[in-house]
Amino acid sequence: MSKAARTDTQSPAPHDADSHDLIRVHGARVNNLKDVSIEIPKRRLTVFTGVSGSGKSSLVFNTIAAESQRLINETYSAFVQGFMPTLARPEVDVLEGLTTAIIVDQQRMGADPRSTVGTATDANAMLRILFSRLGQPHIGSPQAFSFNVASISGAGAVTLERGGKTVKERRSFSITGGMCPRCEGRGSVNDIDLSALYDDSKSLNEGALTIPGYSMDGWFGRIFSGCGFFDPDKPISKFTKKELHDLLHKEPTKIKVDGINLTYEGVIPKIQKSMLSKDVDSLQPHIRAFVERAVTFTTCPECDGTRLSEAARSSKIKGISIADACAMQISDLAAWVRDLDEPSVAPLLTTLRHTLDSFVQIGLGYLSLDRPSGTLSGGEAQRTKMIRHLGSSLTDVTYVFDEPTIGLHPHDIQRMNGLLLRLRDKGNTVLVVEHKPETIAIADHVVDLGPGAGTAGGTVWFEGTVEGLRASGTITGRHFDDRAALKETVRKPTGTLEIRGATAHNLRDVDVDVPLGVLVVVTGVAGSGKSSLVHGSIPAGAGVVSVDQGAIRGSRRSNPATYTGLLDPIRKAFAKANGVKPALFSANSEGACPNCNGAGVIYTDLAVMAGVAITCEECEGKRFQASVLEYHLGGRDISEVLAMSVIEAEEFFGSGEARTPAAHAILERLADVGLGYLSLGQPLTTLSGGERQRLKLATHMADKGSVYVLDEPTTGLHLADVEQLLGLLDRLVDSGKSVIVIEHHQAVMAHADWIIDLGPGAGHDGGRIVFEGTPADLVAARSTLTGEHLAAYVGT
């Protein structure tokens, strides 16, 4: 008996299952990582820091999260895997202790014109069910309230085999959808200016059509010449009514030209399908310029921009239609849903309340469900994706965040920190890539990568606590407690830009004078109306250079040299030095290696398994034909030049035999924005968010303009790089430019000559100017949220 009692008092030996408390990474070599080995504690908040381009995303997203997702995908059947993205195993020796990874990144949400905040978060789906059950009068199923479902009806005979006989029966069907028939669920109708499509004094063969890509030399020329609906040599002004209708509006019709079966379609329906069905911002620049010139978008007069049919708008709950509910600010909609008490739909109401409350909790209560998802900023899109994870019952999950504080006012960062800690406290592993000291400060564990960016980074420079980081002497440690001081003197404006009666989105008839010739910072909490004021009242155009947060579009064939236009002067310099055609020095044109088509690697698709990319044996990954590599400029061939970093290339093209002023000017701008470490031929798909933003800024610095409008240029910038950015902004202002910056970073606010603060809150609580003046006056007054946080930051 005593023996049994003694056994009970002994502490039990730890269970083997409890020994897996670390995520172990050994020998990671993805992108610029140099054999990184690291152990990350589970169920803790780990923050990854380091200068932009040091390898944070490569370690967290492309190694840990990517392998977790790949292993989960492999648990599905081959049939299901066929519908999923195929992922290759990251270049790493050992990865142990992984748990399910949920990635919340900065990727913008799809810019499809039919996608809204409500459709992206499933809130609309729940509202549609709610209205189909409780709405009076009852008009049909949930799809009767969907602006993506058209109403269709039809009837006809069907043939059936019944009892050995063939029987014909008449059948009819109808689907009641909620789509507005006039605008087809888009909320806006377009009016096309015919004078922008063609010059009616010319014939088609003389080049009457002025639409990009509609040349008479290619297939369009064949179709227009051979269709027989009109004379291509006759001026359009002489066309009969029928001929003009056939040119502009004819429905798709099968025709035969030179023995080839083709389809003829009128110009306007063709433009609507190819150009107007996409979001204008996602079009190529020359096509976007044409659309903005030729097409006027106006609110649909039939549905008043709600996208819904009259029947869908007629069904109401307590006097509110689904269109009214989607147009409400989400914080107001949440209050309205809380007042509904209907036991028959109780589970639905509970879920809908939770979703809407999550919006408010995460600081997005100022949005409305009918807001197009393509208009959300990077920070708003990221927080919208977070909503489905808040309140989830899952534990022991790895949440991976990419700079969750982007686009957040210092006031909102505290709330975001609380959310990250709540996720951790539920027993989850939270991995955060972050630059803001306020978020680094709450970490349980910090991993600092560096010491530099690109090839100078890729090693773990520090691992440990926040206190250890402060004392570590790394770049992040040294700059962690940096605080920009207020300027002793501010510049005097050279003029003013008057904005009168601004009412875009939530702005309340705002009048403001924006000083010119100085550095102006527009600030305020997220959703207070900053972008509406600046982008809505100062449109990009004559004399205005606007650098927004829109993503760079580019395939794995695109690189900094092609994106910035740097490759053109380089190709011409090579061609001139060797007496050959410039096209030979393009890996996407005549100079491409014939074996890999200029990709440098050969991709083998393995269906449900990850494709294999093998370095091309013929060109050894250099992407060019061997004969092209025999041509030299300044002792280097084209592949060696594309392998150079921006700093090396700047020196190379700055003097000597390879001196090329046009290339040197572009390289100087790239170095100015802190991208000196990038190699010219690095694929754009491997760049981090901060690097892409600065690449865009470097490209726009060449634009001729007197006013620069920058939207959160510190996005993705390390504390040390912010100083360099401030120097760049100073140089722009000192050269006679006016710089207007939308920004939340206190260092930029402190450095400003003039601050315009919007607020006091977000959504309908914002939209007013709450302060105008110098940073020193804002700190002294402390009359706004921004003033309080800036005063605390500069330590007054």
Side-chain angles (χ1 to χ4, degrees), residues 97-245:
L98 294 177
T99 67
T100 306
I102 293 174
I103 299 173
V104 188
D105 60 14
Q106 289 176 40
Q107 291 298 319
R108 288 299 183 93
M109 293 179 128
D112 187 285
R114 294 184 181 282
S115 175
T116 65
V117 169
T119 58
T121 56
D122 300 337
N124 260 32
M126 289 183 269
L127 271 180
R128 290 198 294 269
I129 300 169
L130 184 69
F131 274 86
S132 71
R133 301 294 184 271
L134 304 181
Q136 291 298 329
H138 176 75
I139 61 162
S141 68
Q143 58 188 12
F145 295 93
S146 169
F147 54 75
N148 286 329
V149 179
S151 295
I152 308 170
S153 60
V158 292
T159 307
L160 307 168
E161 290 285 334
R162 191 180 288 158
K165 291 181 182 175
T166 303
V167 183
K168 280 195 173 182
E169 285 186 8
R170 183 173 171 76
R171 294 273 174 91
S172 62
F173 75 95
S174 71
I175 295 170
T176 306
M179 179 187 285
C180 167
R182 171 85 166 85
C183 63
E184 297 184 354
R186 284 205 176 85
S188 65
V189 287
N190 48 58
D191 190 19
I192 297 176
D193 176 9
L194 298 183
S195 66
L197 303 187
Y198 58 79
D199 177 353
D200 67 357
S201 64
K202 294 179 180 175
S203 69
L204 290 173
N205 280 341
E206 288 169 342
L209 294 178
T210 53
I211 308 161
Y214 282 60
S215 110
M216 293 298 284
D217 301 332
W219 279 107
F220 283 118
R222 274 193 177 193
I223 292 169
F224 288 136
S225 303
C227 66
F229 300 131
F230 38 73
D231 180 359
D233 290 315
K234 183 165 139 187
I236 293 179
S237 57
K238 303 271 176 66
F239 273 24
T240 63
K241 217 176 223 178
K242 184 179 184 313
E243 285 174 330
L244 192 59
H245 176 270

Side-chain angles (χ1 to χ4, degrees), residues 328-349:
M328 277 185 195
Q329 187 164 307
I330 289 173
S331 53
D332 297 341
L333 179 61
W336 179 75
V337 172
R338 266 196 298 276
D339 289 342
L340 296 178
D341 183 21
E342 185 59 51
S344 63
V345 289
L348 176 69
L349 284 172

